[in-house]
Amino acid sequence: MSDQNTKRLTSLAQADSLIQQQFSIFNISDDQVSIATTRVDSNFSRKTYYVGLPYRFSKTQFHAELNDALYPFGIRTPARVTFPQKNVDIQLSYRETVIRTISLQTDPELSLQQNDISLLLSFDEIPQSQIISQLNALAEPIPLVLKIEQPMQVQTLKKELNGRYPSVIFWFQNKNGDDLIKTNPEAARARLDRLQDISPNSHVLITENEATPLINKFNKLTFVDVSNAQLLHEQLGKKAFLEELTILQSNTRSYLALITGTETTVEWLIEKLPDLKKAGARIIPPPKMNL
Protein backbone atom coordinates (compact mmCIF):
# COMPACT_ATOMS: atom_id res chain seq x y z
CA MET A 1 0.00 0.00 0.00
CA SER A 2 1.35 3.40 -0.93
CA ASP A 3 2.00 6.02 1.73
CA GLN A 4 -0.68 8.31 0.34
CA ASN A 5 -3.33 5.63 1.00
CA THR A 6 -2.16 4.99 4.58
CA LYS A 7 -4.23 6.52 7.35
CA ARG A 8 -2.55 8.21 10.28
CA LEU A 9 -2.66 6.75 13.77
CA THR A 10 -3.33 9.80 15.92
CA SER A 11 -2.98 8.14 19.34
CA LEU A 12 -2.78 4.82 21.17
CA ALA A 13 -6.36 5.42 22.24
CA GLN A 14 -7.31 5.20 18.57
CA ALA A 15 -5.63 1.79 18.38
CA ASP A 16 -7.66 0.70 21.42
CA SER A 17 -10.81 1.93 19.70
CA LEU A 18 -10.01 -0.10 16.58
CA ILE A 19 -9.46 -3.19 18.72
CA GLN A 20 -12.76 -2.68 20.52
CA GLN A 21 -14.46 -2.28 17.16
CA GLN A 22 -13.25 -5.73 16.11
CA PHE A 23 -14.42 -7.21 19.41
CA SER A 24 -17.86 -5.76 18.73
CA ILE A 25 -17.97 -7.09 15.15
CA PHE A 26 -17.15 -10.59 16.40
CA ASN A 27 -19.70 -10.34 19.23
CA ILE A 28 -16.99 -10.57 21.92
CA SER A 29 -18.47 -9.16 25.12
CA ASP A 30 -16.67 -7.10 27.77
CA ASP A 31 -16.99 -10.07 30.14
CA GLN A 32 -14.69 -12.07 27.87
CA VAL A 33 -11.92 -9.45 27.92
CA SER A 34 -9.48 -8.52 30.65
CA ILE A 35 -6.74 -5.93 30.24
CA ALA A 36 -3.30 -5.79 31.86
CA THR A 37 -1.19 -2.63 31.60
CA THR A 38 2.60 -2.62 31.70
CA ARG A 39 4.41 0.70 32.09
CA VAL A 40 7.39 0.79 29.72
CA ASP A 41 8.56 4.29 30.57
CA SER A 42 7.14 7.58 31.79
CA ASN A 43 5.50 8.26 28.42
CA PHE A 44 4.35 4.84 27.32
CA SER A 45 2.26 2.00 28.75
CA ARG A 46 1.59 -1.21 26.85
CA LYS A 47 -1.77 -2.96 27.16
CA THR A 48 -2.34 -6.67 26.79
CA TYR A 49 -5.87 -7.82 26.02
CA TYR A 50 -6.65 -11.32 27.31
CA VAL A 51 -9.68 -12.64 25.42
CA GLY A 52 -11.54 -15.79 26.43
CA LEU A 53 -13.17 -17.52 23.45
CA PRO A 54 -15.31 -20.62 22.87
CA TYR A 55 -13.67 -23.67 21.34
CA ARG A 56 -15.20 -23.28 17.87
CA PHE A 57 -14.38 -19.55 17.55
CA SER A 58 -12.12 -18.90 14.54
CA LYS A 59 -9.05 -17.16 15.94
CA THR A 60 -7.55 -17.21 12.45
CA GLN A 61 -10.47 -15.28 11.00
CA PHE A 62 -10.31 -12.74 13.82
CA HIS A 63 -6.59 -12.22 13.18
CA ALA A 64 -7.18 -11.76 9.45
CA GLU A 65 -9.96 -9.23 9.97
CA LEU A 66 -7.96 -7.36 12.61
CA ASN A 67 -5.00 -7.16 10.24
CA ASP A 68 -7.21 -5.77 7.45
CA ALA A 69 -8.57 -3.10 9.81
CA LEU A 70 -5.17 -2.02 11.18
CA TYR A 71 -2.96 -2.29 8.10
CA PRO A 72 -4.06 1.08 6.61
CA PHE A 73 -2.82 2.75 9.80
CA GLY A 74 0.64 1.24 9.44
CA ILE A 75 0.08 -1.27 12.23
CA ARG A 76 1.44 -4.77 11.65
CA THR A 77 -0.01 -7.81 13.41
CA PRO A 78 2.48 -10.69 13.68
CA ALA A 79 1.06 -13.62 15.62
CA ARG A 80 2.28 -16.72 17.43
CA VAL A 81 0.25 -19.87 18.05
CA THR A 82 0.76 -21.81 21.27
CA PHE A 83 0.16 -25.56 21.17
CA PRO A 84 -1.60 -27.72 22.21
CA GLN A 85 -4.10 -25.09 23.38
CA LYS A 86 -3.98 -23.33 19.99
CA ASN A 87 -4.03 -19.98 21.72
CA VAL A 88 -2.99 -17.06 19.55
CA ASP A 89 -0.93 -14.07 20.70
CA ILE A 90 -1.15 -11.12 18.31
CA GLN A 91 1.29 -8.26 18.62
CA LEU A 92 0.35 -4.84 17.28
CA SER A 93 3.56 -3.30 15.99
CA TYR A 94 3.70 0.38 15.03
CA ARG A 95 6.93 1.97 13.82
CA GLU A 96 8.88 -1.06 15.06
CA THR A 97 7.39 -0.79 18.55
CA VAL A 98 4.90 -3.25 20.03
CA ILE A 99 2.10 -1.01 21.23
CA ARG A 100 -0.55 -3.61 22.13
CA THR A 101 -0.89 -7.38 22.48
CA ILE A 102 -4.04 -9.42 22.05
CA SER A 103 -3.99 -12.89 23.56
CA LEU A 104 -6.79 -15.09 22.19
CA GLN A 105 -7.35 -17.96 24.61
CA THR A 106 -9.78 -20.86 24.48
CA ASP A 107 -12.12 -20.86 27.47
CA PRO A 108 -13.72 -24.32 27.92
CA GLU A 109 -16.56 -22.79 29.93
CA LEU A 110 -17.71 -20.70 26.98
CA SER A 111 -19.91 -22.02 24.20
CA LEU A 112 -20.30 -20.38 20.81
CA GLN A 113 -23.73 -18.78 20.83
CA GLN A 114 -25.31 -19.18 17.44
CA ASN A 115 -28.54 -17.59 16.36
CA ASP A 116 -30.27 -19.39 13.52
CA ILE A 117 -31.79 -17.17 10.85
CA SER A 118 -33.59 -17.92 7.60
CA LEU A 119 -33.45 -15.72 4.51
CA LEU A 120 -35.52 -15.95 1.33
CA LEU A 121 -35.23 -13.85 -1.83
CA SER A 122 -38.41 -13.35 -3.88
CA PHE A 123 -38.42 -12.46 -7.58
CA ASP A 124 -41.14 -11.86 -10.17
CA GLU A 125 -39.16 -14.02 -12.59
CA ILE A 126 -35.93 -16.00 -12.68
CA PRO A 127 -33.15 -13.55 -11.76
CA GLN A 128 -30.24 -12.82 -14.04
CA SER A 129 -27.42 -15.37 -14.23
CA GLN A 130 -25.09 -12.99 -12.40
CA ILE A 131 -27.38 -12.89 -9.36
CA ILE A 132 -27.75 -16.67 -9.38
CA SER A 133 -23.96 -17.01 -9.50
CA GLN A 134 -23.53 -14.55 -6.63
CA LEU A 135 -26.02 -16.45 -4.47
CA ASN A 136 -24.51 -19.82 -5.33
CA ALA A 137 -21.10 -18.46 -4.32
CA LEU A 138 -22.45 -17.77 -0.81
CA ALA A 139 -23.02 -21.53 -0.36
CA GLU A 140 -25.86 -20.77 2.07
CA PRO A 141 -29.39 -22.29 2.14
CA ILE A 142 -31.12 -19.13 0.85
CA PRO A 143 -34.04 -20.17 -1.39
CA LEU A 144 -35.27 -18.31 -4.44
CA VAL A 145 -38.98 -17.54 -4.25
CA LEU A 146 -40.57 -17.27 -7.70
CA LYS A 147 -44.03 -15.76 -8.09
CA ILE A 148 -46.54 -17.66 -10.24
CA GLU A 149 -50.22 -17.48 -11.17
CA GLN A 150 -50.72 -20.92 -12.75
CA PRO A 151 -49.34 -24.40 -11.91
CA MET A 152 -48.00 -24.94 -15.44
CA GLN A 153 -45.51 -22.14 -14.83
CA VAL A 154 -43.70 -24.35 -12.31
CA GLN A 155 -42.64 -26.86 -14.94
CA THR A 156 -41.54 -24.07 -17.27
CA LEU A 157 -39.50 -22.33 -14.59
CA LYS A 158 -37.87 -25.54 -13.41
CA LYS A 159 -36.89 -26.33 -16.99
CA GLU A 160 -35.49 -22.84 -17.49
CA LEU A 161 -33.49 -22.97 -14.27
CA ASN A 162 -32.17 -26.39 -15.26
CA GLY A 163 -30.75 -27.09 -11.80
CA ARG A 164 -28.70 -23.88 -11.67
CA TYR A 165 -29.95 -23.12 -8.16
CA PRO A 166 -30.48 -25.74 -5.46
CA SER A 167 -33.54 -24.37 -3.63
CA VAL A 168 -36.64 -22.87 -5.28
CA ILE A 169 -40.02 -22.11 -3.72
CA PHE A 170 -43.13 -21.06 -5.67
CA TRP A 171 -45.52 -18.37 -4.49
CA PHE A 172 -49.06 -18.37 -5.88
CA GLN A 173 -50.32 -14.85 -6.48
CA ASN A 174 -53.25 -13.32 -8.34
CA LYS A 175 -52.95 -10.84 -11.20
CA ASN A 176 -52.71 -7.98 -8.71
CA GLY A 177 -49.71 -9.54 -6.98
CA ASP A 178 -51.64 -10.57 -3.87
CA ASP A 179 -51.10 -13.90 -2.12
CA LEU A 180 -53.65 -16.28 -3.68
CA ILE A 181 -53.92 -18.65 -0.71
CA LYS A 182 -54.72 -15.71 1.54
CA THR A 183 -57.09 -13.84 -0.78
CA ASN A 184 -58.85 -16.65 -2.66
CA PRO A 185 -58.54 -20.01 -0.87
CA GLU A 186 -60.83 -21.89 -3.27
CA ALA A 187 -58.90 -20.84 -6.36
CA ALA A 188 -55.68 -21.67 -4.52
CA ARG A 189 -56.97 -25.13 -3.62
CA ALA A 190 -57.70 -25.93 -7.26
CA ARG A 191 -54.28 -24.74 -8.41
CA LEU A 192 -52.48 -26.62 -5.64
CA ASP A 193 -54.39 -29.76 -6.62
CA ARG A 194 -53.23 -29.30 -10.21
CA LEU A 195 -49.66 -28.58 -9.11
CA GLN A 196 -49.57 -31.76 -7.04
CA ASP A 197 -50.54 -33.72 -10.16
CA ILE A 198 -48.12 -32.18 -12.64
CA SER A 199 -45.15 -31.35 -10.40
CA PRO A 200 -45.15 -33.27 -7.10
CA ASN A 201 -42.42 -32.50 -4.56
CA SER A 202 -42.60 -28.80 -5.40
CA HIS A 203 -42.17 -26.28 -2.59
CA VAL A 204 -44.92 -23.69 -2.07
CA LEU A 205 -44.76 -20.50 0.00
CA ILE A 206 -47.34 -19.89 2.73
CA THR A 207 -47.78 -16.38 4.17
CA GLU A 208 -51.01 -17.09 6.07
CA ASN A 209 -50.64 -18.77 9.44
CA GLU A 210 -54.23 -20.04 9.26
CA ALA A 211 -53.62 -21.91 6.02
CA THR A 212 -53.36 -25.41 7.53
CA PRO A 213 -57.01 -26.44 6.90
CA LEU A 214 -56.63 -25.52 3.23
CA ILE A 215 -53.41 -27.33 2.48
CA ASN A 216 -53.55 -30.42 4.67
CA LYS A 217 -54.63 -32.66 1.79
CA PHE A 218 -51.57 -31.99 -0.37
CA ASN A 219 -49.12 -34.56 0.95
CA LYS A 220 -46.94 -34.51 -2.18
CA LEU A 221 -46.16 -30.82 -1.84
CA THR A 222 -43.89 -29.14 0.69
CA PHE A 223 -45.13 -25.91 2.22
CA VAL A 224 -42.76 -23.28 3.59
CA ASP A 225 -44.21 -21.04 6.29
CA VAL A 226 -43.14 -17.38 6.24
CA SER A 227 -46.19 -16.00 8.04
CA ASN A 228 -43.98 -14.42 10.72
CA ALA A 229 -41.26 -13.15 8.40
CA GLN A 230 -39.81 -9.65 8.35
CA LEU A 231 -40.45 -8.12 4.92
CA LEU A 232 -37.35 -6.38 3.58
CA HIS A 233 -37.09 -4.43 0.33
CA GLU A 234 -35.00 -1.83 -1.45
CA GLN A 235 -37.41 1.01 -0.60
CA LEU A 236 -36.34 0.78 3.03
CA GLY A 237 -33.00 2.27 2.06
CA LYS A 238 -29.65 0.68 2.79
CA LYS A 239 -29.31 1.85 6.40
CA ALA A 240 -32.72 0.53 7.50
CA PHE A 241 -32.30 -2.66 5.45
CA LEU A 242 -29.01 -3.51 7.17
CA GLU A 243 -30.42 -2.57 10.58
CA GLU A 244 -33.34 -4.98 10.06
CA LEU A 245 -30.90 -7.77 9.24
CA THR A 246 -28.96 -6.97 12.42
CA ILE A 247 -32.17 -7.16 14.46
CA LEU A 248 -32.95 -10.46 12.75
CA GLN A 249 -29.62 -11.86 13.91
CA SER A 250 -30.45 -10.96 17.51
CA ASN A 251 -33.79 -12.80 17.23
CA THR A 252 -35.62 -10.05 19.10
CA ARG A 253 -38.62 -10.08 16.74
CA SER A 254 -38.23 -12.82 14.17
CA TYR A 255 -35.52 -15.07 12.79
CA LEU A 256 -36.97 -15.10 9.27
CA ALA A 257 -36.78 -12.51 6.47
CA LEU A 258 -38.53 -12.47 3.10
CA ILE A 259 -36.47 -10.13 0.93
CA THR A 260 -37.74 -8.63 -2.31
CA GLY A 261 -34.91 -9.55 -4.64
CA THR A 262 -33.18 -6.91 -6.78
CA GLU A 263 -29.58 -6.36 -7.77
CA THR A 264 -29.38 -3.83 -4.94
CA THR A 265 -30.87 -5.97 -2.15
CA VAL A 266 -28.69 -8.91 -3.17
CA GLU A 267 -25.66 -6.60 -3.02
CA TRP A 268 -26.69 -5.36 0.44
CA LEU A 269 -27.24 -8.92 1.67
CA ILE A 270 -23.85 -10.09 0.41
CA GLU A 271 -22.23 -7.10 2.14
CA LYS A 272 -23.94 -7.76 5.47
CA LEU A 273 -23.76 -11.55 5.61
CA PRO A 274 -20.13 -11.79 6.82
CA ASP A 275 -20.90 -9.46 9.75
CA LEU A 276 -23.96 -11.50 10.70
CA LYS A 277 -21.92 -14.70 10.70
CA LYS A 278 -19.09 -13.15 12.71
CA ALA A 279 -21.68 -12.18 15.33
CA GLY A 280 -22.81 -15.81 15.59
CA ALA A 281 -25.58 -16.08 13.01
CA ARG A 282 -26.06 -19.39 11.23
CA ILE A 283 -28.14 -19.47 8.05
CA ILE A 284 -30.65 -22.31 8.06
CA PRO A 285 -33.41 -23.34 5.61
CA PRO A 286 -36.81 -21.72 6.26
CA PRO A 287 -39.36 -23.67 8.30
CA LYS A 288 -41.55 -26.25 6.59
CA MET A 289 -45.05 -27.09 7.67
CA ASN A 290 -45.25 -30.72 8.78
CA LEU A 291 -48.59 -31.89 7.60
Side-chain angles (χ1 to χ4, degrees):
M1 182 176 295
S2 64
D3 291 341
Q4 64 184 15
N5 292 329
T6 300
K7 301 176 183 178
R8 181 171 176 265
L9 188 68
T10 56
S11 66
L12 293 179
Q14 185 182 19
D16 292 325
S17 178
L18 292 167
I19 293 169
Q20 292 291 347
Q21 186 177 48
Q22 290 303 306
F23 289 162
S24 177
I25 290 173
F26 278 85
N27 206 28
I28 297 171
S29 69
D30 292 342
D31 293 339
Q32 294 172 249
V33 181
S34 61
I35 303 174
T37 302
T38 302
R39 179 166 292 281
V40 177
D41 55 41
S42 58
N43 297 317
F44 174 50
S45 295
R46 181 184 296 123
K47 291 182 181 179
T48 299
Y49 291 82
Y50 294 96
V51 186
L53 299 168
Y55 175 73
R56 294 180 60 191
F57 183 94
S58 176
K59 300 182 182 74
T60 303
Q61 184 183 8
F62 178 87
H63 181 211
E65 296 281 345
L66 178 73
N67 181 73
D68 288 346
L70 298 182
Y71 185 88
F73 293 89
I75 302 175
R76 304 296 177 260
T77 62
R80 182 182 63 184
V81 181
T82 304
F83 293 96
Q85 301 90 345
K86 295 184 179 180
N87 293 334
V88 178
D89 291 328
I90 306 171
Q91 293 186 334
L92 275 59
S93 177
Y94 181 67
R95 294 181 177 176
E96 300 184 358
T97 299
V98 176
I99 57 173
R100 297 290 184 260
T101 299
I102 302 175
S103 182
L104 305 178
Q105 305 175 339
T106 300
D107 184 343
E109 296 185 0
L110 291 175
S111 59
L112 185 62
Q113 182 179 359
Q114 287 191 318
N115 291 326
D116 293 340
I117 65 175
S118 294
L119 307 169
L120 304 92
L121 281 160
S122 69
F123 294 87
D124 293 329
E125 57 189 18
I126 294 175
Q128 296 177 353
S129 296
Q130 179 183 352
I131 290 179
I132 291 178
S133 296
Q134 288 175 313
L135 296 175
N136 275 324
L138 295 176
E140 298 287 356
I142 302 175
L144 294 182
V145 176
L146 300 180
K147 301 173 184 178
I148 59 170
E149 292 183 31
Q150 298 297 333
M152 289 298 296
Q153 292 176 261
V154 170
Q155 287 184 321
T156 302
L157 291 169
K158 284 183 176 180
K159 184 176 180 181
E160 185 178 343
L161 269 171
N162 193 28
R164 288 182 294 139
Y165 198 78
S167 180
V168 182
I169 302 170
F170 299 98
W171 187 1
F172 276 107
Q173 298 190 352
N174 61 23
K175 292 181 179 180
N176 297 323
D178 299 318
D179 186 291
L180 188 66
I181 293 174
K182 184 182 294 186
T183 58
N184 193 339
E186 289 308 310
R189 182 190 297 272
R191 295 180 194 183
L192 288 169
D193 193 52
R194 177 64 175 150
L195 178 61
Q196 184 166 251
D197 286 340
I198 65 175
S199 188
N201 303 317
S202 293
H203 288 62
V204 178
L205 197 76
I206 299 294
T207 64
E208 172 58 66
N209 55 17
E210 301 297 328
T212 302
L214 171 66
I215 63 178
N216 59 11
K217 62 173 283 189
F218 302 105
N219 56 11
K220 294 181 181 178
L221 299 174
T222 299
F223 294 92
V224 177
D225 182 10
V226 297
S227 54
N228 295 317
Q230 297 294 112
L231 303 179
L232 306 184
H233 46 80
E234 188 174 341
Q235 287 69 34
L236 288 171
K238 183 176 182 179
K239 183 173 184 292
F241 184 94
L242 299 182
E243 286 175 352
E244 288 295 324
L245 285 176
T246 301
I247 293 171
L248 191 76
Q249 190 273 329
S250 67
N251 287 351
T252 56
R253 292 204 301 264
S254 172
Y255 70 98
L256 180 67
L258 179 59
I259 303 169
T260 301
T262 64
E263 288 185 20
T264 300
T265 56
V266 169
E267 177 185 319
W268 290 347
L269 176 61
I270 291 172
E271 176 184 327
K272 184 64 177 177
L273 202 55
D275 289 340
L276 293 177
K277 296 179 72 174
K278 289 174 202 169
R282 181 178 65 167
I283 313 302
I284 62 170
K288 299 173 183 177
M289 300 183 73
N290 298 318
L291 304 176

